[in-house]
Amino acid sequence: MPIEYEDVVRTGVARQVADKIRSAILDGRLQIDERLPTEEELAKSFGISRPTIREALKRLAAQNLIRSQRGPAGGTFVKRPDPEGLSSAITGAATLLVGMGAFDIDEIIGARLETEAICCRLACERRSGEDLAAMRAEIALQRSASLTDEEFCASDVRFHRGLVTAAGNGPLSLMMYTVVEAFMPITNMIVSQVRERGTVAGFHERLADAVEARDGAGAVGVLSELLSYVRDSYAVSLKRRAEREAARAKRG
C-alpha cells in the first residue's frame, strides 16, 4: 500500500496552524467569542489551501477551543475554555505515563497529599450544604454490599471530585482534574482486590465530618491516613502479583 506523502505534509501544516491559533487564544490575542476570519481569509493569511485550514479548525474544535455557528451572523468563534475539556488531554497523557510506570507510588501519593490537602483546607472554609450532601451520598453508596468493585472505584473518584468542587477554586480544580481523573483510577485498579471497602468509607466519613466541622487540620490529617492506607494496599497488591507470577514461572 503506497504512503500518502501529501496527506502527511498537509496534516503537519494543519497542526502547525492549529497550534498558532491555539496559542493566540490561550495568551489572549484572540478573545472569547471573537469571530475568526473565514476559511478563505485564513488560507490567504497562511498561504495554504482551504482543506488544510479546515483540518486545523477541526483540531481546534476537538480541543473545545472554537465553535461554529450557522446563519447570517454565523461563523467560527473562539469558545470559552472548558477546564474539563482542556485537561482531558493532560489526563490521557498522565494515565499513559502511570500505566508505563513513569511515576512510582510514592510520587503519586506525595502529589495527591500536597495538592488535595489544599482542597481540604479550602473546602473547610467554603463548603456548602450541597457539597456535603454530595460527599455523604457517595459514602452511603460505598457502604452498600451490592456495589461492584468498579462501582465502588467510581464512587471513590466522585467523592474526591466532590471535595475538590467544595474548595471552590477554578484554577485548583483544573490542576486537580489530572490527579482525580488519572492517578486515582490507576491506583484504584491495582488496590481494589486488597483494600477493605469499609475502611475506605470510614476514612471518607471522617473526612466529610472534618469538612462539615470546618476543621482544616483534621481533614488534612484524615487525608494523610487515607493515602498511607492506599500506599500500603498498593504494596500488598504488588507483592501478591509478584508471588503469583513467580508461582506460574515455577510451574512452567
Side-chain angles (χ1 to χ4, degrees):
M1 178 179 177
I3 299 174
E4 301 291 342
Y5 290 104
E6 290 183 0
D7 286 345
V8 173
V9 172
R10 189 188 71 182
T11 300
V13 173
R15 182 173 61 248
Q16 293 177 52
V17 171
D19 288 344
K20 286 182 178 294
I21 297 175
R22 181 178 183 274
S23 295
I25 292 172
L26 296 182
D27 67 20
R29 283 176 286 148
L30 286 173
Q31 300 293 315
I32 293 171
D33 293 329
E34 182 175 344
R35 183 176 178 174
L36 295 180
T38 65
E39 288 183 4
E40 184 176 359
E41 291 168 338
L42 286 171
K44 288 181 179 179
S45 296
F46 285 103
I48 57 179
S49 67
R50 288 184 64 179
T52 304
I53 289 295
R54 199 169 298 125
E55 177 67 25
L57 295 178
K58 286 180 180 178
R59 288 173 175 271
L60 293 168
Q63 297 173 41
N64 291 312
L65 291 173
I66 61 172
R67 59 181 173 81
S68 297
Q69 181 175 313
R70 298 182 180 276
T76 303
F77 298 85
V78 176
K79 186 177 179 181
R80 181 177 295 277
D82 173 15
E84 186 168 313
L86 288 175
S87 58
S88 61
I90 302 173
T91 300
T95 301
L96 179 62
L97 287 169
V98 173
M100 294 172 60
F103 309 128
D104 63 33
I105 188 61
D106 288 330
E107 289 180 299
I108 293 173
I109 293 297
R112 276 196 64 186
L113 178 58
E114 294 299 326
T115 54
E116 203 167 348
I118 299 172
C119 295
C120 285
R121 289 190 287 269
L122 288 176
C124 288
E125 297 173 7
R126 303 176 180 179
R127 60 49 171 187
S128 66
E130 289 77 10
D131 293 325
L132 289 170
M135 294 168 69
R136 295 207 182 275
E138 295 302 334
I139 295 168
L141 187 62
Q142 291 162 19
R143 298 286 192 190
S144 172
S146 63
L147 216 60
T148 66
D149 286 336
E150 183 176 303
E151 290 168 339
F152 185 91
C153 289
S155 177
D156 187 7
V157 169
R158 288 194 300 269
F159 175 87
H160 288 273
R161 191 186 296 149
L163 179 64
V164 172
T165 299
N169 183 289
L172 182 59
S173 179
L174 176 60
M175 292 166 56
M176 289 300 298
Y177 190 89
T178 298
V179 174
V180 174
E181 305 297 333
F183 291 168
M184 282 192 63
I186 289 290
T187 53
N188 276 347
M189 181 177 65
I190 294 173
V191 306
S192 62
Q193 299 301 314
V194 300
R195 71 177 178 185
E196 294 291 335
R197 291 185 184 182
T199 300
V200 174
F203 281 125
H204 288 168
E205 188 160 15
R206 289 172 55 202
L207 188 50
D209 288 344
V211 171
E212 183 171 12
R214 302 191 187 279
D215 179 5
V220 173
V222 175
L223 175 67
S224 180
E225 290 182 51
L226 168 59
L227 294 180
S228 291
Y229 179 74
V230 171
R231 180 192 286 110
D232 292 344
S233 299
Y234 192 97
V236 170
S237 181
L238 292 187
K239 181 180 178 182
R240 290 184 182 179
R241 178 187 296 179
E243 289 172 347
R244 287 194 299 270
E245 291 176 353
R248 280 197 296 268
K250 190 174 181 180
R251 290 195 301 269

